[in-house]
Amino acid sequence: MPKETIFAQGNEAVVQGALYAGLDFYAGYPITPSTEIAEILAQRLPQAGGRFIQMEDELASLCAVIGASLTGLKAMTATSGPGFSLMQEALGYAVMAEVPCVVVNVQRGGPSTGMPTAVAQGDVMQARWGTHGDHAIIALTASNLADVFLMTVEAFNLAETYRTPVILLLDEVVGHMREKLVIPGPGEVEVVQRLRTSVPEGTDYHPYLAREDGRLPMSDFGGVHRFNVTGLVHDMWGFPSNDPAVAYGLLHHLVDKLENRAETLARYQDFFCDDAEVLLISYGSAARSALHLVEQRRARGMKIGLLELNTLWPFPAQTVRKYCRGRGHVLVVEMNRGQLHGEVQKAAEQPERVYLANRYDGVFISHKDIMQVLHVVLGKGV
Amino acid sequence: MESRSLKEELSVLIDVDWCKGCGICVAFCPKQALSLDEHGKARWTGPEDCVRCGLCQMRCPDLAIELR
Amino acid sequence: MNTRRYIRERFFPHLWCPGCGHGIVMSALVGAVDSLGLSQNEVVVISGIGCSSRMPGYLDFHTMHTLHGRALAFATGVKMGRPDLTVIVPMGDGDAAAIGGNHLIHAARRNLDLTAVVLNNRIYGMTGGQSSPTTPEGDRSTTAPYGVLDPSFDLVELARGAGASFVARSTTYHAQETRELLAAAIAHQGFSLVEVLSQCPTYYGRKNQGGDAVAMMKTFKQITAPAGSQRAAQDPGLITRGILVQEPRTEYCAAYGELVRELSGHEE
Ligand SMILES: Cc1ncc(C[n+]2csc(CCOP(=O)(O)OP(=O)(O)O)c2C)c(N)n1
Ligand code: SF4
Ligand code: SF4
Ligand code: SF4
């Protein structure tokens, strides 16, 4: 199939990316501003022989997604703020039981029902720590439709590669914005298929024993290997264990498999960074305004650049540290009270030079908003 | 006739490691063919009275009884 | 029948208390699967959290121990992913009627071919004897030291009201009947719920002078009667047993499969 160009909405780019990646199961519950994902898939999935179901709530949706994934399907759900809160228990289950799946959160204003139709990026820390207990997670984001498509495919790829839930953390502006989307032809973008065990029937299969390369081959429910899946601390067969050594080993594995690969998992783009004295760090729709400002100021000779993060978690601390090194000023641009700002400060060698330009009133942050903060930072007054 | 003789070949086997001595099998055996021993474990003490009805196996919560 | 074929022997003796009814239900379930001649590889058992939910760990099928109350939601994904598999969902009464009540009514409404087995001991066993939505009014629990004030759920009526196409009830005293009902429920095409009154001598029995496991099972015999029997007709206070709802209704996966076929029939 040749490349196809469509005019689409961010939420539709998620759908296109998911179908490209081989999505065959979707369960969800409607919530603004993610609902279009469910609506489009309700139409498309049955046409493609896939499965769609509207569940009774978001927790049930993610539970169903996990169940479907265990039968070998690529599965996804999408939601926003309140629904993402409801999903947290199941998200922890997917982490613990190492079940590949994709959870899209199109962020809106919070807390609680907040501002349903307004933009925000207030769930960055919830994506990281929303479910209880020590764990690691992958969260990806994007600022334009081409990247939404690619990051959706990437979310599925990473979910399969690392047997983990992956969060696609979009926001209302990206979800609802319309632009041109070029859908790559088959094979143009890599799609990772599930790694299944080669252990033959009758031979002991360990669903939770990592290979040398760290990957854990799976076996589908209904296949020749019968094993147990649980949210309890478990051994390599999936059976519950109270052994402190097993608990210690499992927690280490769950965290290390992602945190130790933070730089491998880091997806980011830089714009005009080589000689930049001022570095903006941003992500999601906020990065659009950040880029706008950078382009505008460059035209006027200012040495300013942008590091746009597509991977938020595991936080690419080394990459960020490297980018911050030697800059006069670093400005984190986001639509919350500084959730990623804190991470950048922790990563930077000179945290006192890391500033925050933000908005959290439901209004999309503009390049002017960023410029205002930059003026103050540069000591030029408002 | 044949099925009857087959039945008589069946024994009530009790896994004493699994038996927790709840007394359910003993209490509900229609022929009083079971009893608890001094260790509180079920025993098939009346094989001659036992009609191999299998009720003890079905009601044992510990899956400790098998008719074989 | 060789029961041991279907269990993971290395975890026996199991962790349930002496006399706990949950083992009797598990035994009946194994018997039901055996009687239907299903292969172990085509059976998935999915539970939530609770004493009853320990069951999958003991069974040699594809097994899953999930979140308190959410088993039916996980099972929905498994069944839609592999409609050819037999999916059985053992649940506690708290699991099914409290935290998971919403999933229960929607699973019943959808009529997805799942078999829900509610092991109703009328108490929260795992957490040490708190009241559940099926604890009878006036009975005691650790969270109702003066007796439960709120009326209890009748799970059969709840499932019937939600549209379940197969509903049955039995008790651990009636182990053979339980096995037969479970077999019928599994064979039924559509959502089925089997409520089995199960004794928790450790908490419910102790809190409510129910006596030991044997005494509690005798009570099950006394307070129940087969639906449609003379005893049941004479004493409406008795709890009815047997198949209480059985209505053929379109199964969800079948309807979905039909939709997919239709759509692929006329390409856009
Ligand atoms: C979200 C959540 N809330 C509470 C619990 C604690 N909890 C575990 S089992 C249980 C109730 C068990 O009772 P029931 O479902 O009736 O099953 P039983 O143990 O009696 O078989 C509770 C409250 C939990 N595991 N998860
Ligand atoms: S088979 Fe029947 S008669 Fe024999 S011991 Fe068991 S319950 Fe008693
Ligand atoms: S019913 Fe089972 S556990 Fe109970 S006494 Fe008999 S053999 Fe032992
Ligand atoms: S506490 Fe009650 S339900 Fe739990 S194992 Fe013991 S007897 Fe069974």
Side-chain angles (χ1 to χ4, degrees):
Chain A
M1 199 184 74
K3 279 191 189 184
E4 193 190 340
T5 303
I6 60 171
F7 190 71
Q9 191 195 45
N11 283 338
E12 188 177 351
V14 172
V15 170
Q16 294 290 354
L19 292 172
Y20 189 94
L23 175 78
D24 27 33
F25 182 87
Y26 181 94
Y29 191 83
I31 184 166
T32 306
S34 73
T35 305
E36 295 83 2
I37 296 174
E39 288 173 341
I40 303 167
L41 281 169
Q43 194 174 17
R44 296 286 308 271
L45 270 177
Q47 288 173 341
R51 285 141 247 219
F52 173 94
I53 187 167
Q54 179 169 329
M55 293 298 288
E56 51 274 18
D57 60 41
E58 290 86 348
L59 176 46
S61 301
L62 185 48
C63 294
V65 159
I66 293 167
S69 178
L70 285 168
T71 67
L73 302 186
K74 287 197 175 177
M76 176 177 95
T77 183
T79 187
S80 184
F84 193 54
S85 291
L86 275 182
M87 283 180 185
Q88 295 303 322
E89 192 188 11
L91 188 63
Y93 186 88
V95 167
M96 186 60 141
E98 300 189 67
V99 183
C101 56
V102 173
V103 177
V104 185
N105 175 5
V106 186
Q107 296 169 93
R108 64 188 227 180
S112 190
T113 310
M115 299 172 88
T117 55
V119 69
Q121 295 177 315
D123 305 348
V124 171
M125 279 298 167
Q126 188 189 20
R128 177 65 189 89
W129 290 116
T131 197
H132 59 280
D134 278 311
H135 64 280
I137 196 87
I138 298 176
L140 306 177
T141 184
S143 64
N144 57 69
L145 262 60
D147 285 355
V148 168
F149 181 95
L150 289 176
M151 285 304 122
T152 306
V153 177
E154 190 69 352
F156 281 93
N157 287 351
L158 296 178
E160 293 297 337
T161 306
Y162 298 104
R163 272 187 70 169
T164 181
V166 174
I167 297 164
L168 189 60
L169 200 60
L170 303 179
D171 56 63
E172 190 276 335
V173 164
V174 168
H176 283 162
M177 127 192 128
R178 294 192 162 268
E179 52 182 38
K180 218 170 65 175
L181 172 67
V182 180
I183 301 167
E188 260 181 75
V189 177
E190 191 202 1
V191 170
V192 175
Q193 298 305 340
R194 181 157 302 183
L195 178 67
R196 290 189 171 80
T197 179
S198 55
V199 170
E201 182 168 11
T203 309
D204 206 5
Y205 160 67
H206 304 95
Y208 295 101
L209 183 64
R211 297 196 311 198
E212 258 174 38
D213 64 358
R215 292 190 69 182
L216 291 85
M218 299 184 73
S219 175
D220 300 340
F221 268 10
V224 297
H225 300 293
R226 298 188 297 273
F227 55 94
N228 191 51
V229 179
T230 179
L232 289 168
V233 164
H234 50 269
D235 61 20
M236 60 187 172
W237 290 275
F239 292 114
S241 168
N242 284 323
D243 183 344
V246 171
Y248 178 85
L250 178 60
L251 221 70
H252 245 288
H253 161 72
L254 292 177
V255 173
D256 291 355
K257 74 173 180 180
L258 302 181
E259 290 293 338
N260 287 355
R261 293 189 172 89
E263 300 311 312
T264 317
L265 295 170
R267 307 284 181 270
Y268 55 90
Q269 300 161 64
D270 59 15
F271 302 91
F272 310 102
C273 281
D274 291 351
D275 62 345
E277 284 159 13
V278 174
L279 175 73
L280 304 187
I281 299 181
S282 191
Y283 54 94
S285 64
R288 296 177 75 86
S289 297
L291 183 60
H292 184 136
L293 180 75
V294 167
E295 285 169 345
Q296 193 196 62
R297 294 291 128 180
R298 275 278 167 186
R300 298 182 197 178
M302 186 175 176
K303 290 191 172 167
I304 183 170
L306 168 68
L307 173 64
E308 179 187 349
L309 297 177
N310 290 110
T311 302
L312 298 183
W313 306 113
F315 187 70
Q318 281 182 38
T319 301
V320 169
R321 182 175 307 125
K322 197 184 78 196
Y323 271 91
C324 291
R325 192 169 291 148
R327 314 284 179 192
H329 297 88
V330 175
L331 194 58
V332 179
V333 181
E334 55 185 339
M335 284 178 284
N336 56 47
R337 294 281 305 241
Q339 297 191 17
L340 216 69
H341 175 241
E343 294 303 306
V344 175
Q345 279 190 316
K346 271 197 268 174
E349 281 149 2
Q350 291 172 296
E352 68 283 1
R353 291 191 187 173
V354 179
Y355 300 89
L356 172 65
N358 62 345
R359 266 196 103 128
Y360 41 87
D361 56 358
V363 178
F364 180 51
I365 193 166
S366 70
H367 65 289
K368 288 183 187 150
D369 295 328
I370 306 168
M371 194 57 221
Q372 263 188 5
V373 178
L374 197 56
H375 268 304
V376 176
V377 167
L378 297 176
K380 294 182 178 162
V382 193
Chain B
M1 284 313 277
E2 214 173 89
S3 70
R4 183 173 166 73
S5 66
L6 238 178
K7 270 199 170 169
E8 274 170 2
E9 275 170 31
L10 288 173
S11 293
V12 174
L13 304 174
I14 300 169
D15 187 328
V16 290
D17 291 332
W18 290 13
C19 167
K20 294 190 186 125
C22 66
I24 289 173
C25 58
V26 177
F28 296 121
C29 169
K31 298 290 167 193
Q32 283 81 48
L34 297 158
S35 49
L36 291 181
D37 68 13
E38 68 277 17
H39 305 292
K41 301 282 185 178
R43 297 276 170 184
W44 190 38
T45 42
E48 58 294 332
D49 302 322
C50 168
V51 290
R52 277 76 172 173
C53 63
L55 284 172
C56 51
Q57 173 175 354
M58 276 187 280
R59 290 208 184 101
C60 172
D62 286 85
L63 284 70
I65 304 182
E66 256 190 300
L67 265 68
R68 248 196 296 143
Chain C
M1 180 194 61
N2 177 10
T3 311
R4 298 206 173 191
R5 207 185 113 190
Y6 297 99
I7 64 177
R8 292 166 170 151
E9 281 189 60
R10 60 190 179 286
F11 301 123
F12 283 72
H14 58 51
L15 289 173
W16 287 314
C17 302
C20 173
H22 292 354
I24 302 177
V25 183
M26 180 165 76
S27 181
L29 182 63
V30 162
V33 169
D34 184 76
S35 73
L36 293 170
L38 297 168
S39 102
Q40 280 155 282
N41 282 346
E42 57 189 6
V43 177
V44 188
V45 183
I46 303 175
S47 73
I49 300 287
C51 291
S52 33
S53 289
R54 288 187 189 279
M55 193 186 290
Y58 297 130
L59 294 172
D60 190 7
F61 300 113
H62 300 286
T63 59
M64 204 176 171
H65 175 242
T66 66
L67 303 171
H68 188 33
R70 317 296 171 193
L72 284 169
F74 285 93
T76 298
V78 170
K79 185 69 185 180
M80 280 195 76
R82 283 289 301 271
D84 57 314
L85 299 178
T86 295
V87 182
I88 301 165
V89 186
M91 296 187 284
D93 41 287
D95 227 15
I99 194 162
N102 202 32
H103 308 307
L104 178 70
I105 59 175
H106 288 282
R109 175 181 67 83
R110 271 184 209 113
N111 203 34
L112 200 68
D113 186 12
L114 306 171
T115 302
V117 186
V118 184
L119 292 80
N120 184 1
N121 56 16
R122 302 170 154 180
I123 200 113
Y124 287 3
M126 169 138 280
T127 41
Q130 300 78 25
S131 7
S132 108
T134 61
T135 310
E137 225 173 315
D139 275 11
R140 285 166 204 273
S141 76
T142 60
T143 46
Y146 311 111
V148 166
L149 297 177
D150 43 331
S152 64
F153 258 139
D154 179 330
L155 286 169
V156 167
E157 291 311 315
L158 184 70
R160 187 203 304 271
S165 52
F166 183 105
V167 186
R169 179 159 50 208
S170 189
T171 87
T172 50
Y173 176 82
H174 307 90
Q176 164 108 37
E177 177 187 89
T178 299
R179 178 211 289 209
E180 287 161 6
L181 292 175
L182 287 172
I186 294 168
H188 174 76
Q189 304 272 312
F191 183 81
S192 51
L193 179 135
V194 181
E195 176 187 12
V196 187
L197 297 183
S198 174
Q199 70 276 13
C200 169
T202 305
Y203 294 113
Y204 185 80
R206 215 178 272 164
K207 280 272 164 199
N208 295 289
Q209 288 80 45
D212 61 4
V214 170
M216 293 178 81
M217 288 172 72
K218 283 184 179 158
T219 304
F220 290 157
K221 185 185 174 192
Q222 285 155 10
I223 64 170
T224 65
S229 68
Q230 222 177 358
R231 258 190 83 219
Q234 278 162 1
D235 185 353
L238 293 177
I239 299 168
T240 49
R241 304 195 319 271
I243 297 176
L244 305 169
V245 175
Q246 191 170 22
E247 288 163 9
R249 196 151 73 74
T250 311
E251 196 271 333
Y252 188 86
C253 287
Y256 192 88
E258 189 52 41
L259 171 69
V260 169
R261 267 188 301 281
E262 263 175 42
L263 289 173
S264 64
H266 10 111
E267 299 279 19
E268 350 158 51

